[in-house]
Amino acid sequence: MAILQRMALSSHYLFTSSLRLSPNPKTPISHSSSSSSSSSSLFFSLSRTALEREIGVFAFCKRRKNGFSTTSSAVATESTEVASVAGDDGQEEVSLEKIVLPTNESSERLLRIRHTCAHVMAMAVQKIFPDAKVTIGPWIENGFYYDFDMEPLTDKDLKRIKKEMDRIIGRNLPLIREEVTRDEAQNRIMAVNEPYKMEILESIKEDPITIYHIGNDWWDLCAGPHVESTGTIDRKAVELESVAGAYWRGDTNKPMLQRIYGTAWENEKQLKAYLHFKEEAKRRDHRRLGQDLDLFSIQDEAGGGLVFWHPKGAIVRHIIEDAWKRIHMEHGYDLLYTPHVARADLWKISGHLDFYKENMYDQMKIEEELYQLRPMNCPYHILVYKRKLHSYRDFPIRVAELGTVYRYELSGSLHGLFRVRGFTQDDAHIFCLEDQIKDEIRGVLDLTEEILLQFGFSKYEVNLSTRPEKAVGGDDIWEKATSALKDALDDKGWNYQVDDGGGAFYGPKIDLKIEDALGRKWQCSTIQVDFNLPQRFDITYVDSNSEKQRPIMIHRAVLGSLERFFGVLIEHYAGDFPLWLCPIQARVLPVTDTQLEYGKEVTRKLKASGIRVEVCSGERLPKLIRNAEKQKIPLMAVVGPKEVETQTVTVRSRFGGELGTIAIDDFVGMCKKAVESRTSI
């Protein structure tokens, strides 16, 4: 961590800056690249730990069923040697071999490996493509990348580059640090005609300039750190992943560069574990599952970043909203609905036009007045508060809204449900007295836990951010609010990290990240104390001495936004939603068209009992069952001649296998009980 802090002192400490000298080819070294095996389709019911934090634990699973063994992957925290996993064909036994994945923060050696791999890759590229111009190449979360000004690259080119990297690694060339004057660095850059490097040099403010050499063949304008020699890198733990286009300095008016992404680890086992994780993450990608399961879409005709909720996705949203509203009303919140637009003056008062304009859409003129699509719900809730004079006896006042907001995002930053232009925040605001802050924060923590547990999230990362250098409000109120947040967290018994100076300018805050089935962390819940908006809108109350005082305002969201949370849910469950949340809970399957009318009758009875069900026919039964499996339908009710005669259904559970022939009323009761208890059948 100390190394990371030192490197943050200068812009050239954050990026790799590379130059080449004359090539010096050596005898090729043979290399057998490792490839990852694809993950099988599993519903993972194992407990997980964080992948992208200090420690990640991967478990390679050997699946044994019907005498056959296949390989898949999962993330696990349990020390159990054998665990049970629910697959498409029922329960399977798996044995777990744990592999701990380090991060750049937890392993300085890994960071050095990745930094050096970026240099080695740039050296390899310029060996194969002498006309390529180098720019920057930092290490990143799971590896490294480098940007080159050159002709577009193909997958075949990546294989050539990787082979050359293997040769460089096999030569065991030393990494040598050299300090030079600015003039000397400039002369060397001009000698090899690297215009991008000259621009990078101009941005470096510290002297002397540091250079790292790879042997006598190639050098790099860089501050380190690196490994001692290329031979310390395990070439079987390095892989080039993809090529993408990237504008120089992120400016669309500047040249388009070729960005090569790579991943690097300390050993081959870690690489294989990471590749298994990538495969599993790909299988869970909410964009693909959203299309396969017909949950949502983003239509080009309507514009990017605007979500269309299809009937099945809309059902899940309806369930989420109902649960959210019920819990909020139980916790003493009043529900609001407010407009999607407002006069632009409102956003001047709130300060959004001054500090947030680049994320807001252009104003529209209506009857000679300017209106604005709302980027936030907060000002509306303040206007509701201001509709009448309040007494200290009225507090706390809690209001909540599922309010749709609109924010301008560049098209290149849009990403499925995770980054959109129109989304619905689960917004709420609490107006309270200073001595009520702690109890209200504790109440929000309890409510947050209750909601998240319903959706299967029980592991969180909690951060408390304190006063930054520039802030509104006096020291006393900051101290009181920060202490209240700490006390509430301590009362709750949650572990948390303190981010000193990381709070908003208007108040301290608590941020909560939920951990999904792959150990990834997702920012969802936030609780923010605000000293700014009450002052800007001049909201007051009358205290016990009949004097006007300013209330404390608390912003809070639990899910963040319905769109993003739905995306997280899809990936967390890999589209295999629990029964209570599943858009279609059961599918009735007539064996032949002769039983279709009875199947429709069964469907009507189940629907009348509140079960989400549909009937499908017209195919042979095995294909009907396969289609239901592909659509991840939890329950299948097969009806044939025997079921018609006995007025029953033969039930097959996606996770429990064959459940036998059951009377319709018993099947209804079984479904209702499972939904109420949030369990599977």
Side-chain angles (χ1 to χ4, degrees):
M1 184 58 72
I3 268 200
L4 290 173
Q5 291 169 343
R6 290 199 302 274
M7 290 190 292
L9 296 175
S10 169
S11 61
H12 79 302
Y13 279 72
L14 298 177
F15 299 102
T16 300
S17 308
S18 304
L19 296 174
R20 69 187 185 281
L21 291 178
S22 58
N24 182 20
K26 298 291 183 183
T27 304
I29 296 176
S30 63
H31 167 66
S32 176
S33 62
S34 60
S35 61
S36 63
S37 59
S38 62
S39 300
S40 304
S41 294
L42 292 175
F43 175 80
F44 289 94
S45 58
L46 303 175
S47 58
R48 276 84 173 188
T49 189
L51 166 70
E52 297 166 346
R53 303 303 302 170
E54 295 261 335
I55 294 179
V57 181
F58 281 82
F60 290 99
C61 303
K62 297 290 186 180
R63 304 173 65 197
R64 294 182 177 87
K65 187 177 176 76
N66 300 327
F68 295 94
S69 176
T70 60
T71 301
S72 186
S73 65
V75 181
T77 57
E78 304 298 330
S79 58
T80 316
E81 294 289 328
V82 177
S84 180
V85 178
D88 288 347
D89 298 318
Q91 293 293 319
E92 301 178 19
E93 191 179 80
V94 297
S95 60
L96 307 178
E97 177 194 351
K98 292 184 178 179
I99 295 178
V100 176
L101 286 183
T103 66
N104 294 331
E105 290 76 20
S106 68
S107 172
E108 183 182 321
R109 178 170 176 260
L110 178 61
L111 184 146
R112 289 174 180 269
I113 287 171
R114 288 172 172 172
H115 197 184
T116 305
C117 281
H119 288 215
V120 170
M121 181 176 72
M123 179 177 173
V125 168
Q126 294 194 308
K127 166 68 176 165
I128 299 170
F129 304 97
D131 293 332
K133 303 297 182 185
V134 292
T135 61
I136 60 172
W139 68 85
I140 53 178
E141 184 175 18
N142 291 315
F144 57 93
Y145 74 78
Y146 216 110
D147 288 346
F148 302 91
D149 190 348
M150 61 188 301
E151 292 299 312
L153 293 165
T154 65
D155 289 341
K156 186 177 179 180
D157 293 327
L158 286 190
K159 292 178 181 178
R160 293 176 62 197
I161 295 167
K162 176 60 167 65
K163 197 170 183 178
E164 182 61 31
M165 289 177 68
D166 291 343
R167 293 193 185 102
I168 296 169
I169 291 170
R171 290 168 62 192
N172 196 24
L173 299 172
L175 275 291
I176 304 166
R177 184 177 185 274
E178 179 188 12
E179 292 185 356
V180 299
T181 64
R182 187 173 294 273
D183 288 342
E184 174 62 18
Q186 188 174 25
N187 290 336
R188 293 192 190 185
I189 293 170
M190 292 174 66
V192 291
N193 187 27
E194 291 280 10
Y196 297 98
K197 289 304 165 188
M198 194 64 73
E199 187 174 331
I200 290 172
L201 179 64
E202 291 170 358
S203 68
I204 299 172
K205 305 303 179 185
E206 297 83 4
D207 286 310
I209 305 301
T210 56
I211 286 175
Y212 271 85
H213 297 261
I214 300 181
N216 296 316
D217 300 347
W218 192 87
W219 56 274
D220 216 339
L221 189 68
C222 178
H226 292 283
V227 297
E228 294 78 13
S229 66
T230 61
T232 62
I233 299 170
D234 183 350
R235 60 191 178 191
K236 291 186 178 181
V238 180
E239 183 166 295
L240 298 185
E241 297 185 285
S242 62
V243 180
Y247 290 106
W248 171 236
R249 299 295 198 189
D251 188 339
T252 55
N253 295 316
K254 293 184 177 179
M256 171 67 78
L257 308 173
Q258 293 291 294
R259 174 172 295 179
I260 304 177
Y261 284 100
T263 187
W265 299 88
E266 295 171 339
N267 54 58
E268 187 179 7
K269 276 191 173 183
Q270 290 179 4
L271 173 63
K272 285 185 175 181
Y274 166 72
L275 293 176
H276 275 275
F277 167 80
K278 273 189 66 180
E279 191 67 27
E280 179 59 21
K282 182 180 178 182
R283 185 180 75 86
R284 292 167 178 262
D285 190 313
H286 76 280
R287 294 166 297 179
R288 180 182 64 81
L289 288 171
Q291 180 177 346
D292 292 348
L293 302 178
D294 196 21
L295 299 172
F296 73 91
S297 64
I298 296 173
Q299 303 287 339
D300 290 339
E301 292 87 348
L306 302 172
V307 180
F308 287 73
W309 295 75
H310 299 180
K312 290 180 181 178
I315 288 174
V316 179
R317 173 170 176 157
H318 170 71
I319 296 167
I320 294 171
E321 289 183 351
D322 270 8
W324 186 90
K325 290 175 182 177
R326 175 182 55 78
I327 292 173
H328 276 77
M329 288 190 287
E330 289 173 357
H331 282 255
Y333 286 79
D334 293 317
L335 300 183
L336 299 179
Y337 292 95
T338 58
H340 289 224
V341 298
R343 290 172 55 187
D345 288 347
L346 185 67
W347 309 107
K348 289 181 183 177
I349 298 171
S350 69
H352 287 95
L353 277 178
D354 294 328
F355 302 108
Y356 207 71
K357 189 174 184 179
E358 68 276 8
N359 294 103
M360 298 171 66
Y361 282 97
D362 290 342
Q363 297 173 359
M364 61 189 84
K365 200 169 188 179
I366 302 175
E367 295 181 350
E368 302 305 314
E369 285 192 299
L370 293 175
Y371 280 74
Q372 182 82 53
L373 280 171
R374 65 175 172 185
M376 304 280 188
N377 299 306
C378 329
Y380 290 110
H381 293 189
I382 291 176
L383 293 184
V384 172
Y385 174 91
K386 288 187 71 174
R387 75 190 187 281
K388 64 180 183 179
L389 183 64
H390 291 279
S391 162
Y392 69 96
R393 297 185 181 90
D394 298 332
F395 295 103
I397 297 171
R398 309 182 189 104
V399 293
E401 177 181 15
L402 293 169
T404 301
V405 298
Y406 303 89
R407 298 180 188 174
Y408 173 68
E409 301 282 357
L410 293 173
S411 58
S413 67
L414 300 175
H415 181 79
L417 296 175
F418 293 157
R419 197 72 178 264
V420 294
R421 287 172 171 161
F423 55 93
T424 301
Q425 287 184 312
D426 70 315
D427 226 347
H429 294 90
I430 301 170
F431 301 92
C432 65
L433 309 178
E434 288 184 19
D435 58 7
Q436 294 175 333
I437 297 176
K438 175 189 169 182
D439 289 341
E440 290 306 306
I441 297 298
R442 174 57 195 271
V444 173
L445 297 179
D446 291 341
L447 178 144
T448 298
E449 182 178 40
E450 184 177 348
I451 291 178
L452 294 179
L453 279 174
Q454 284 203 8
F455 296 102
F457 299 106
S458 59
K459 293 184 179 180
Y460 323 123
E461 176 188 298
V462 184
N463 294 283
L464 171 63
S465 301
T466 61
R467 181 174 185 165
E469 287 186 14
K470 293 183 179 180
V472 299
D475 292 343
D476 55 339
I477 189 59
W478 268 90
E479 184 176 342
K480 191 165 187 175
T482 305
S483 295
L485 267 59
K486 287 181 179 178
D487 291 345
L489 286 169
D490 291 337
D491 282 356
K492 187 66 180 170
W494 283 356
N495 294 324
Y496 62 92
Q497 301 172 4
V498 177
D499 179 11
D500 286 321
F505 76 93
Y506 51 77
K509 62 176 182 172
I510 294 172
D511 290 319
L512 187 147
K513 297 178 182 178
I514 58 177
E515 183 179 313
D516 74 2
L518 290 185
R520 298 172 297 183
K521 301 293 179 63
W522 300 93
Q523 172 69 57
C524 287
S525 309
T526 186
I527 309 167
Q528 303 174 358
V529 181
D530 188 350
F531 312 131
N532 178 50
L533 286 184
Q535 181 177 336
R536 279 182 169 271
F537 282 91
D538 192 26
I539 61 173
T540 60
Y541 69 93
V542 177
D543 67 12
S544 57
N545 296 319
S546 299
E547 295 180 355
K548 286 190 175 182
Q549 303 292 342
R550 208 172 299 288
I552 299 296
M553 184 178 183
I554 299 172
H555 306 253
R556 47 116 301 206
V558 177
L559 307 179
S561 81
L562 295 184
E563 286 76 7
R564 188 166 181 270
F565 186 72
F566 186 40
V568 173
L569 273 179
I570 293 171
E571 298 202 0
H572 177 64
Y573 288 112
D576 261 321
F577 296 113
L579 183 66
W580 74 275
L581 193 58
C582 204
I584 302 297
Q585 296 169 320
R587 183 175 282 183
V588 178
L589 307 177
V591 176
T592 69
D593 286 347
T594 306
Q595 293 85 42
L596 179 56
E597 192 55 44
Y598 175 68
K600 291 180 179 179
E601 180 185 341
V602 171
T603 301
R604 286 192 291 270
K605 288 183 178 180
L606 294 175
K607 282 186 175 181
S609 298
I611 297 168
R612 297 185 291 277
V613 61
E614 61 186 11
V615 61
C616 284
S617 62
E619 303 280 358
R620 291 170 59 86
L621 183 60
K623 186 169 184 180
L624 291 175
I625 292 174
R626 284 197 301 273
N627 290 341
E629 288 283 355
K630 287 181 180 179
Q631 288 296 302
K632 304 183 188 296
I633 307 296
L635 298 169
M636 284 160 273
V638 178
V639 293
K642 185 181 71 172
E643 286 78 16
V644 174
E645 181 181 347
T646 58
Q647 294 292 289
T648 58
V649 291
T650 296
V651 180
R652 187 176 191 273
S653 167
R654 178 164 167 75
F655 303 117
E658 303 295 341
L659 302 182
T661 302
I662 304 171
I664 296 175
D665 289 343
D666 292 341
F667 181 49
V668 169
M670 182 190 300
C671 292
K672 284 187 172 182
K673 184 177 179 181
V675 169
E676 289 172 3
S677 60
R678 302 288 198 266
T679 57
S680 296
I681 296 177

